[in-house]
Short mmCIF file of all heavy atoms in Angstrom, two decimals:
data_model
loop_
_atom_site.label_atom_id
_atom_site.label_comp_id
_atom_site.label_asym_id
_atom_site.label_seq_id
_atom_site.Cartn_x
_atom_site.Cartn_y
_atom_site.Cartn_z
N PHE A 149 23.56 -212.26 116.65
CA PHE A 149 22.28 -212.65 116.87
C PHE A 149 21.26 -211.52 116.70
O PHE A 149 21.69 -210.39 117.06
CB PHE A 149 22.12 -213.37 118.17
CG PHE A 149 22.86 -214.71 118.31
CD1 PHE A 149 24.24 -214.71 118.54
CD2 PHE A 149 22.16 -215.81 118.20
CE1 PHE A 149 24.91 -215.90 118.77
CE2 PHE A 149 22.91 -217.12 118.31
CZ PHE A 149 24.29 -217.03 118.60
N ILE A 162 14.26 -215.41 115.72
CA ILE A 162 15.55 -215.15 116.17
C ILE A 162 16.58 -215.81 115.20
O ILE A 162 16.48 -217.02 115.05
CB ILE A 162 15.91 -215.40 117.60
CG1 ILE A 162 15.18 -214.40 118.51
CG2 ILE A 162 17.43 -215.32 117.92
CD1 ILE A 162 15.30 -214.74 119.94
N GLY A 163 17.53 -215.16 114.63
CA GLY A 163 18.48 -215.84 113.89
C GLY A 163 19.90 -215.29 114.22
O GLY A 163 20.10 -214.58 115.11
N ALA A 164 20.89 -215.71 113.36
CA ALA A 164 22.32 -215.22 113.63
C ALA A 164 22.92 -215.10 112.34
O ALA A 164 22.65 -215.74 111.33
CB ALA A 164 23.07 -216.21 114.55
N GLU A 184 16.20 -218.43 111.52
CA GLU A 184 15.25 -219.06 112.27
C GLU A 184 15.71 -220.12 113.38
O GLU A 184 15.41 -221.32 113.38
CB GLU A 184 14.14 -219.70 111.44
CG GLU A 184 13.43 -218.71 110.61
CD GLU A 184 12.51 -219.38 109.60
OE1 GLU A 184 11.84 -220.39 109.87
OE2 GLU A 184 12.10 -218.61 108.63
N LEU A 185 16.70 -219.58 114.20
CA LEU A 185 17.22 -220.44 115.18
C LEU A 185 16.28 -220.74 116.39
O LEU A 185 16.23 -221.81 116.84
CB LEU A 185 18.56 -219.86 115.76
CG LEU A 185 19.62 -219.58 114.84
CD1 LEU A 185 20.76 -218.97 115.57
CD2 LEU A 185 20.10 -220.78 114.10
N LEU A 186 15.42 -219.73 116.61
CA LEU A 186 14.33 -219.78 117.54
C LEU A 186 13.04 -219.21 116.87
O LEU A 186 13.20 -218.16 116.33
CB LEU A 186 14.62 -219.17 118.77
CG LEU A 186 15.71 -219.78 119.81
CD1 LEU A 186 15.89 -218.87 120.96
CD2 LEU A 186 15.15 -221.11 120.29
N ILE A 190 8.28 -222.97 119.26
CA ILE A 190 8.81 -223.50 120.53
C ILE A 190 7.73 -223.74 121.55
O ILE A 190 8.02 -224.50 122.61
CB ILE A 190 9.99 -222.71 121.06
CG1 ILE A 190 9.46 -221.31 121.51
CG2 ILE A 190 11.18 -222.63 120.07
CD1 ILE A 190 10.55 -220.44 122.19
N PRO A 201 17.35 -211.53 121.75
CA PRO A 201 18.32 -212.42 122.25
C PRO A 201 19.37 -211.72 123.04
O PRO A 201 19.94 -210.75 122.61
CB PRO A 201 18.82 -213.14 121.03
CG PRO A 201 18.83 -212.09 119.88
CD PRO A 201 17.51 -211.35 120.27
N VAL A 203 23.00 -213.20 124.53
CA VAL A 203 23.83 -214.36 124.34
C VAL A 203 25.15 -214.23 125.13
O VAL A 203 25.81 -213.19 125.22
CB VAL A 203 24.13 -214.55 122.86
CG1 VAL A 203 24.81 -215.93 122.71
CG2 VAL A 203 22.88 -214.47 121.99
N LEU A 215 26.74 -221.96 124.56
CA LEU A 215 26.13 -220.68 124.76
C LEU A 215 24.91 -220.77 125.75
O LEU A 215 24.32 -221.87 125.90
CB LEU A 215 25.49 -220.35 123.42
CG LEU A 215 26.39 -220.21 122.17
CD1 LEU A 215 25.58 -219.82 120.94
CD2 LEU A 215 27.59 -219.28 122.35
N ARG A 216 24.60 -219.73 126.40
CA ARG A 216 23.29 -219.49 127.14
C ARG A 216 22.67 -218.38 126.48
O ARG A 216 23.34 -217.32 126.25
CB ARG A 216 23.52 -219.30 128.64
CG ARG A 216 23.94 -220.60 129.41
CD ARG A 216 24.22 -220.30 130.77
NE ARG A 216 24.61 -221.64 131.46
CZ ARG A 216 23.75 -222.27 132.18
NH1 ARG A 216 22.49 -221.82 132.37
NH2 ARG A 216 24.12 -223.41 132.80
N VAL A 217 21.40 -218.42 126.20
CA VAL A 217 20.64 -217.42 125.51
C VAL A 217 19.29 -217.06 126.31
O VAL A 217 18.53 -218.05 126.48
CB VAL A 217 20.28 -217.85 124.07
CG1 VAL A 217 19.64 -216.76 123.35
CG2 VAL A 217 21.58 -218.25 123.31
N PHE A 219 15.90 -214.69 126.07
CA PHE A 219 15.20 -213.86 125.02
C PHE A 219 13.69 -213.64 125.54
O PHE A 219 13.26 -214.15 126.61
CB PHE A 219 15.12 -214.66 123.72
CG PHE A 219 14.44 -216.09 123.83
CD1 PHE A 219 13.13 -216.30 123.49
CD2 PHE A 219 15.20 -217.25 124.29
CE1 PHE A 219 12.53 -217.50 123.56
CE2 PHE A 219 14.68 -218.45 124.36
CZ PHE A 219 13.27 -218.59 124.00
N ALA A 233 17.32 -220.49 126.50
CA ALA A 233 17.73 -221.52 125.59
C ALA A 233 19.19 -221.92 125.79
O ALA A 233 19.95 -220.95 126.17
CB ALA A 233 17.42 -221.22 124.13
N PHE A 234 19.52 -223.17 125.66
CA PHE A 234 20.84 -223.57 125.61
C PHE A 234 21.34 -223.61 124.16
O PHE A 234 20.54 -223.70 123.30
CB PHE A 234 21.00 -225.01 126.20
CG PHE A 234 20.58 -225.17 127.65
CD1 PHE A 234 19.37 -225.53 127.95
CD2 PHE A 234 21.57 -224.90 128.66
CE1 PHE A 234 19.04 -225.69 129.35
CE2 PHE A 234 21.22 -225.10 130.00
CZ PHE A 234 19.95 -225.51 130.33
N GLY A 235 22.67 -223.49 123.90
CA GLY A 235 23.03 -223.52 122.55
C GLY A 235 24.48 -223.92 122.47
O GLY A 235 25.19 -224.05 123.41
N GLU A 236 24.87 -224.12 121.18
CA GLU A 236 26.27 -224.46 120.89
C GLU A 236 26.57 -223.98 119.49
O GLU A 236 25.68 -223.80 118.66
CB GLU A 236 26.58 -225.90 120.94
CG GLU A 236 25.83 -226.77 120.09
CD GLU A 236 26.26 -228.26 120.25
OE1 GLU A 236 26.66 -228.61 121.39
OE2 GLU A 236 26.03 -229.03 119.31
N VAL A 237 27.87 -223.63 119.18
CA VAL A 237 28.32 -223.32 117.92
C VAL A 237 29.39 -224.42 117.54
O VAL A 237 30.45 -224.51 118.23
CB VAL A 237 28.90 -221.91 117.86
CG1 VAL A 237 29.37 -221.56 116.43
CG2 VAL A 237 27.90 -220.89 118.33
N VAL A 242 28.22 -223.14 112.83
CA VAL A 242 26.68 -223.28 112.74
C VAL A 242 26.10 -223.28 114.12
O VAL A 242 26.43 -224.26 114.95
CB VAL A 242 26.37 -224.63 111.96
CG1 VAL A 242 24.84 -224.86 112.05
CG2 VAL A 242 26.96 -224.67 110.60
N PRO A 243 25.38 -222.28 114.52
CA PRO A 243 24.67 -222.31 115.81
C PRO A 243 23.41 -223.09 115.87
O PRO A 243 22.68 -223.17 114.93
CB PRO A 243 24.42 -220.69 116.06
CG PRO A 243 24.22 -220.23 114.67
CD PRO A 243 25.09 -221.10 113.76
N VAL A 244 23.18 -223.80 117.04
CA VAL A 244 22.12 -224.54 117.27
C VAL A 244 21.57 -224.15 118.65
O VAL A 244 22.35 -224.25 119.64
CB VAL A 244 22.34 -225.99 117.27
CG1 VAL A 244 21.07 -226.85 117.57
CG2 VAL A 244 22.89 -226.41 115.91
N LEU A 245 20.30 -223.90 118.77
CA LEU A 245 19.58 -223.40 120.05
C LEU A 245 18.45 -224.29 120.40
O LEU A 245 17.72 -224.66 119.58
CB LEU A 245 19.14 -222.01 120.02
CG LEU A 245 20.15 -220.96 119.68
CD1 LEU A 245 19.51 -219.57 119.61
CD2 LEU A 245 21.37 -220.83 120.63
N SER A 246 18.38 -224.67 121.66
CA SER A 246 17.32 -225.58 122.16
C SER A 246 16.72 -224.89 123.33
O SER A 246 17.29 -224.57 124.37
CB SER A 246 17.93 -226.91 122.69
OG SER A 246 18.58 -227.57 121.59
N PRO A 247 15.35 -224.63 123.27
CA PRO A 247 14.67 -223.91 124.41
C PRO A 247 14.62 -224.75 125.60
O PRO A 247 14.52 -226.02 125.60
CB PRO A 247 13.19 -223.67 123.81
CG PRO A 247 13.11 -224.72 122.68
CD PRO A 247 14.42 -224.97 122.17
N PHE A 248 14.68 -224.13 126.72
CA PHE A 248 14.54 -224.73 128.10
C PHE A 248 13.14 -225.31 128.30
O PHE A 248 12.15 -224.67 128.02
CB PHE A 248 14.89 -223.67 129.14
CG PHE A 248 14.72 -224.18 130.58
CD1 PHE A 248 15.36 -225.23 131.01
CD2 PHE A 248 13.98 -223.32 131.38
CE1 PHE A 248 15.24 -225.66 132.41
CE2 PHE A 248 13.79 -223.80 132.73
CZ PHE A 248 14.45 -224.90 133.27
#
Side-chain angles (χ1 to χ4, degrees):
F149 291 81
I162 291 172
E184 301 178 22
L185 301 181
L186 289 171
I190 62 176
V203 187
L215 310 175
R216 287 176 176 261
V217 182
F219 59 98
F234 299 94
E236 61 180 25
V237 181
V242 177
V244 178
L245 302 180
S246 300
F248 175 54

